[in-house]
């Protein structure tokens, strides 16, 4: 848990050291392996997370670990499909994603991962179609649906739609994990808006938009990278280089 907290605080190197030390001390511990897999998943290292979970003997896997392993597998398969698309094998990527939808069931997080991979494969309409039944269901969608949906909209380039969904989520109660995901998404959206302003040449407005993220997350690499590009645009390459060296 300490490693995950450090990771969320931007101290990824120290966080990784703690996880490595834990596994060296308890290489066969199901709890340690589960914690290591959780840590890898928070870094988006789905293949590493799956391989770590595979080291836990089946008779020592709790229902929670089994569910988590399934989720990790879907995420890794979606990531592999995205890599296939990026390498040019779009047809194979889409075929893999179509098969994954059944494995995801109605899980919003997993469907969101599949939808984002469809965007990587160049099929935004299908990405939105994957999410639409959850959003337009008979019951009002909650944060568990709306946060993955907003992530898909943001990746698709629909900034206005993303902002509308984020405002909707903000009005709803969230648990701790949902609130963290919401804040991550808000930061990502804000950085993108700041970047858009920089590209238009309005550096003052760009900094004003970015500043709340810098204040809330001073070590955020995306925000720091955006700030460095603003310094480059302003002609202050020394400050930009200093930021890049710290990333």
């Amino acid at each position: 848990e300490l490693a995950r907290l450090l990771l969320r605080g931007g101290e990824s190197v120290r966080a990784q050291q703690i996880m490595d030390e834990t596994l060296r001390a308890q290489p066969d511990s199901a709890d340690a392996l589960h914690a290591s897999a959780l840590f890898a998943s928070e870094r988006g290292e789905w293949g590493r997370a799956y391989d770590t979970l595979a080291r836990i003997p089946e008779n020592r896997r709790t229902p929670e670990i089994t569910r988590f392993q399934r989720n990790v597998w879907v995420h890794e398969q979606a990531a592999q499909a995205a890599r296939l698309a990026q390498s040019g094998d779009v047809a194979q990527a889409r075929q893999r994603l179509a098969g994954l939808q059944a494995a995801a069931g109605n899980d919003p997080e997993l469907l969101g991962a599949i939808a984002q991979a469809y965007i990587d494969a160049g099929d935004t309409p299908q990405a939105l179609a994957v999410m639409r039944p959850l959003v337009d269901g008979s019951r009002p969608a909650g944060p568990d649906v709306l946060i993955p949906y907003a992530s898909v909209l943001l990746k698709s380039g629909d900034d206005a739609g993303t902002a509308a969904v984020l405002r909707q989520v903000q009005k709803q109660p969230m648990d701790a994990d949902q609130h963290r995901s919401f804040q991550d998404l808000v930061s990502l959206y804000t950085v993108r808006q700041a970047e858009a302003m920089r590209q238009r040449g309005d550096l003052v407005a760009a900094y004003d938009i970015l500043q709340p993220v810098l204040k809330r997350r001073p070590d955020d690499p995306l925000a720091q990278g955006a700030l460095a590009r603003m310094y480059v645009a302003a002609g202050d390459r020394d400050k930009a280089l200093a930021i890049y060296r710290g990333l």
Side-chain angles (χ1 to χ4, degrees):
E1 187 61 32
L2 175 59
R4 295 169 72 190
L5 289 172
L6 288 170
L7 178 63
R8 294 165 193 166
E11 298 184 52
S12 59
V13 174
R14 178 59 181 146
Q16 186 64 63
Q17 288 173 344
I18 289 175
M19 286 311 314
D20 291 344
E21 291 166 4
T22 301
L23 276 182
R24 277 196 296 270
Q26 307 175 67
D28 299 320
S29 166
D31 288 340
L33 289 166
H34 185 201
S36 180
L38 283 167
F39 179 79
S41 72
E42 292 209 6
R43 301 184 70 173
E45 298 172 348
W46 300 108
R48 183 174 182 175
Y50 188 80
D51 290 343
T52 301
L53 291 170
R55 292 167 56 187
I56 303 175
E58 286 192 24
N59 62 357
R60 295 174 62 193
R61 293 177 193 167
T62 64
E64 178 187 2
I65 291 175
T66 300
R67 285 193 299 271
F68 179 53
Q69 186 175 35
R70 165 184 165 271
N71 291 357
V72 167
W73 180 82
V74 173
H75 274 284
E76 172 57 13
Q77 290 297 307
Q80 286 184 17
R83 290 193 289 271
L84 279 173
Q86 290 160 358
S87 68
D89 196 347
V90 174
Q92 180 65 26
R94 291 179 179 175
Q95 182 178 349
R96 179 171 294 192
L97 291 171
L100 270 184
Q101 284 184 242
N106 290 319
D107 187 304
E109 179 195 351
L110 299 183
L111 290 173
I114 293 169
Q116 291 201 43
Y118 266 118
I119 294 173
D120 288 325
D123 196 344
T124 296
Q126 181 58 31
L128 297 176
V130 168
M131 299 301 296
R132 185 61 64 183
L134 297 178
V135 178
D136 294 339
S138 57
R139 296 181 178 180
D144 61 321
V145 169
L146 294 176
I147 291 173
Y149 181 51
S151 297
V152 172
L153 291 175
L154 184 61
K155 185 160 188 169
S156 75
D158 186 354
D159 288 0
T162 303
V165 175
L166 289 176
R167 286 193 294 270
Q168 191 176 349
V169 175
Q170 191 173 29
K171 299 174 184 177
Q172 300 189 21
M174 292 176 265
D175 62 29
D177 287 340
Q178 290 170 344
H179 189 264
R180 186 174 62 252
S181 297
F182 173 73
Q183 290 297 334
D184 289 344
L185 193 52
V186 168
S187 294
L188 183 58
Y189 170 80
T190 304
V191 169
R192 193 152 108 175
Q193 296 306 299
E195 290 276 58
M197 280 296 178
R198 175 186 60 79
Q199 290 166 359
R200 292 174 194 160
D202 193 339
L203 297 181
V204 173
Y207 181 78
D208 286 345
I209 291 171
L210 186 64
Q211 202 223 8
V213 179
L214 292 170
K215 185 176 181 180
R216 186 171 64 249
R217 298 181 169 188
D219 297 320
D220 188 304
L222 290 178
Q224 287 295 324
L227 180 62
R229 286 185 286 276
M230 288 179 197
Y231 279 125
V232 170
D236 196 337
R237 294 184 177 273
D238 289 340
K239 285 187 177 179
L241 186 58
I243 292 173
Y244 281 128
R245 284 173 175 162
L247 292 178

